[in-house]
Amino acid sequence: MKKLAFLLTCFIISVSSAQEPKHKIVSYTSNPKKVKETLNHESVQLQTDQIFNKLIKIRRDFHEHPELAGHEIRTKKIIAQYLLDLGLEVDTNIYGHGVTGILKGGKKGKTIAWRSDMDALPNDFADDVAFKSKNKGIQHGCGHDIHMAVGLGIAEVLAKNKAALNGTVYFIFQPEEETFIGAKAMINEGLFSKTKPDEIYGLHVSALPAGQIMVKPNEMFAYQKRVRIQLKNELTKEEAKALTKKIHSFLSRNTTSSKPWEIQQMVDPKTGLMNSNTIFKDYLFMDENFSIQSKNDILFLQAYIYETDSSRLKDILPKIKQAIEDSGYKNQLLSISFTQDNPTVINDEKLTNLASKTLEKIYGKDVVISDYGQVPYFNDDFAYFQQKIPGVYFFLGGSNMEKGIIAMNHSPNFQFDEESIRTGVKCFSSLILERLNKK
Ligand SMILES: [Zn+2]
């Protein structure tokens, strides 16, 4: 999950008051037709438990040996070997250090893809765990080590059930997510030409309580844009600053007293994503402090913008123009443009609703939390896969206040409750099994 232009230096979070997750499987034994189904998912849970310690070990190994985008050499080797040992058809030549594994089931059917990203961050925070990074200045501070452990776990559980699988599972281990390069490059290099999945799924760890899965149809994040304004270099420093303030207030849209830029509120039961009155819906905000630079005769004003509503994106540049003209700088204005324009994660509505229902049916209604907001600052190049294949991207909670763990991605004290690896493997192995069983 790529994060832009925002560094959390002090992070206070109210995870403890959020809803406690439940893990139990709902029993169907009263309905004889569903006994077989119950057995399937009970064995998924059992098999997940059997490999859990092995997954923790591999996650910690990834954590100790993080590699930056474009350098996932060791990581690739480990993943490829793991998938080969499971008997999957492995390809390491699609793009960069990406790895794919094809698991063909005993019966014909659909193809479902699962994606895990692989790269770490250029961080040097004090990581308070026994399995600290051995690569100076590089850390798994976004949790992609967890994503890989979950992906490998799903591959192992489903490989054990190969004979009963109706179709094919396509595992995609994607490099270079943080730079927003890997997904697009894998697609351009033929990721879907030989094997075209019918559906694609993936997850990102988040600051929600451990054991919770959160999802919503359509946009999971706000649209991020970087805007660049060029003016004749005729304004004083003070005038330039005053102009950025004017643009900022002219553009902002948020309900009274809500502060959607306070990312730590995303897990607050009253204001966070899980509340239908969340502060993280219907907003536009931008960096309060623009980057102000001058070069020769040109003054550059730059800032990031976060907008939840795709239909309002077209209004942003004309509004900025108006704010500049209203401030009396019509003659100084040279150009306004977006310098960064990535697609955003958009969950297929039908598949999202089906996935939530499926998981709730198997693991109880508390396992999936509805998401009512759109997270600012973050985005994921999983969006490129969704442009080709209908898919769903989930958040997997990893915070646990009792253990003093806050899983806020990219923050200096990012940690993760490894129990959630179990949740991820069992839930998404079950989901893939169910999706393959549906015509
Ligand atoms: Zn990430």
Side-chain angles (χ1 to χ4, degrees):
M1 185 158 68
K2 182 183 172 62
K3 179 162 188 279
L4 289 170
F6 186 80
L7 184 69
L8 292 154
T9 47
C10 171
F11 199 76
I12 308 153
I13 209 161
S14 54
V15 176
S16 58
S17 52
Q19 217 176 337
E20 283 300 312
K22 305 257 171 18
H23 296 273
K24 66 171 191 290
I25 287 188
V26 175
S27 171
Y28 294 136
T29 43
S30 59
N31 183 343
K33 263 189 173 170
K34 289 187 173 167
V35 168
K36 198 168 159 266
E37 198 175 344
T38 310
L39 288 176
N40 273 342
H41 296 297
E42 277 179 356
S43 70
V44 162
Q45 192 170 37
L46 199 72
Q47 285 158 352
T48 303
D49 290 341
Q50 283 164 354
I51 60 169
F52 183 63
N53 289 336
K54 182 175 155 191
L55 296 177
I56 299 287
K57 221 172 130 190
I58 198 159
R59 180 260 160 156
R60 292 183 179 187
D61 179 72
F62 286 138
H63 199 86
E64 276 188 330
H65 303 95
E67 293 171 303
L68 288 177
H71 300 270
E72 305 93 337
I73 300 159
R74 181 183 183 277
T75 310
K76 167 193 182 173
K77 261 190 202 162
I78 291 169
I79 289 169
Q81 193 56 54
Y82 199 105
L83 298 179
L84 281 171
D85 290 345
L86 294 177
L88 270 63
E89 213 176 283
V90 175
D91 188 344
T92 55
N93 291 314
I94 293 178
Y95 167 76
H97 301 296
V99 185
T100 58
I102 296 174
L103 174 64
K104 284 196 175 125
K107 297 163 206 161
K108 282 219 156 74
K110 283 196 294 202
T111 297
I112 306 285
W114 179 267
R115 177 271 210 160
S116 300
D117 43 6
M118 302 160 70
D119 52 331
L121 297 174
N123 284 346
D124 207 5
F125 299 131
D127 189 15
D128 190 21
V129 288
F131 44 97
K132 279 184 210 312
S133 168
K134 289 180 175 166
N135 299 341
K136 181 131 182 67
I138 308 174
Q139 289 176 335
H140 266 299
C142 196
H144 299 187
D145 49 342
I146 316 280
H147 303 172
M148 291 185 279
V150 171
L152 293 174
I154 297 171
E156 183 152 359
V157 168
L158 294 182
K160 280 180 182 162
N161 292 283
K162 191 178 157 147
L165 283 183
N166 295 315
T168 301
V169 192
Y170 194 24
F171 291 93
I172 300 165
F173 287 85
Q174 180 216 310
E176 301 174 53
E177 191 281 323
E178 294 291 345
T179 50
F180 236 71
I181 290 171
K184 199 177 180 184
M186 284 187 100
I187 295 168
N188 290 343
E189 298 296 321
L191 179 71
F192 297 141
S193 55
K194 209 168 71 181
T195 305
K196 178 109 195 254
D198 297 288
E199 298 165 18
I200 185 164
Y201 298 89
L203 62 77
H204 209 294
V205 301
S206 83
L208 298 163
Q212 281 185 354
I213 291 164
M214 180 181 260
V215 74
K216 76 183 277 296
N218 304 312
E219 293 93 339
M220 290 286 278
F221 303 102
Y223 291 87
Q224 297 177 322
K225 306 259 173 203
R226 185 154 172 88
V227 69
R228 184 170 65 189
I229 302 159
Q230 296 189 67
L231 296 148
K232 287 182 197 161
N233 196 8
E234 295 170 1
L235 285 75
T236 65
K237 250 186 183 170
E238 289 68 32
E239 284 168 342
K241 186 112 206 224
L243 178 59
T244 64
K245 291 233 173 307
K246 170 98 189 227
I247 295 168
H248 181 269
S249 65
F250 191 68
L251 230 62
S252 298
R253 183 181 85 248
N254 55 290
T255 49
T256 329
S257 79
S258 79
K259 297 174 179 171
W261 49 90
E262 290 185 350
I263 186 80
Q264 68 272 23
Q265 292 196 48
M266 71 180 255
V267 292
D268 187 292
K270 286 193 188 119
T271 56
L273 301 172
M274 68 288 281
N275 193 305
S276 57
N277 293 316
T278 180
I279 61 167
F280 294 102
K281 65 178 182 189
D282 192 17
Y283 62 81
L284 185 165
F285 71 87
M286 68 193 306
D287 298 336
E288 201 167 357
N289 294 314
F290 281 53
S291 146
I292 303 176
Q293 285 169 330
S294 57
K295 201 175 170 193
N296 303 326
D297 296 337
I298 301 175
L299 177 68
F300 296 91
L301 309 179
Q302 297 186 84
Y304 283 101
I305 287 176
Y306 305 92
E307 164 65 85
T308 53
D309 183 352
S310 63
S311 72
R312 292 176 186 255
L313 293 169
K314 63 180 185 330
D315 304 332
I316 294 174
L317 298 183
K319 271 191 141 182
I320 293 174
K321 186 167 176 261
Q322 196 188 328
I324 293 170
E325 289 178 1
D326 288 355
S327 304
Y329 297 113
K330 188 178 177 180
N331 295 331
Q332 280 74 23
L333 180 61
L334 298 171
S335 70
I336 315 169
S337 58
F338 290 130
T339 54
Q340 184 199 295
D341 219 359
N342 292 327
T344 198
V345 171
I346 299 183
N347 283 339
D348 182 89
E349 204 164 330
K350 192 174 139 217
L351 292 183
T352 305
N353 294 334
L354 276 171
S356 297
K357 265 191 214 153
T358 304
L359 289 173
E360 283 167 5
K361 202 171 94 181
I362 303 165
Y363 291 106
K365 68 177 175 57
D366 297 324
V367 76
V368 183
I369 308 293
S370 292
D371 178 357
Y372 297 96
Q374 285 165 251
V375 178
Y377 307 119
F378 292 98
N379 194 10
D380 196 308
D381 70 352
F382 187 78
Y384 288 111
F385 296 132
Q386 290 176 312
Q387 288 182 337
K388 302 281 176 196
I389 317 278
V392 187
Y393 176 90
F394 302 86
F395 287 145
L396 174 67
S399 295
N400 187 326
M401 287 309 278
E402 277 173 28
K403 297 182 188 169
I405 291 173
I406 299 168
M408 187 65 216
N409 320 85
H410 293 235
S411 76
N413 52 358
F414 172 79
Q415 279 193 41
F416 189 83
D417 185 349
E418 290 170 328
E419 256 309 305
S420 274
I421 292 175
R422 198 193 306 270
T423 311
V425 174
K426 70 177 189 182
C427 286
F428 296 112
S429 298
S430 287
L431 178 65
I432 293 170
L433 270 173
E434 287 290 316
R435 293 306 304 146
L436 287 175
N437 285 334
K438 296 286 179 294
K439 288 269 175 304

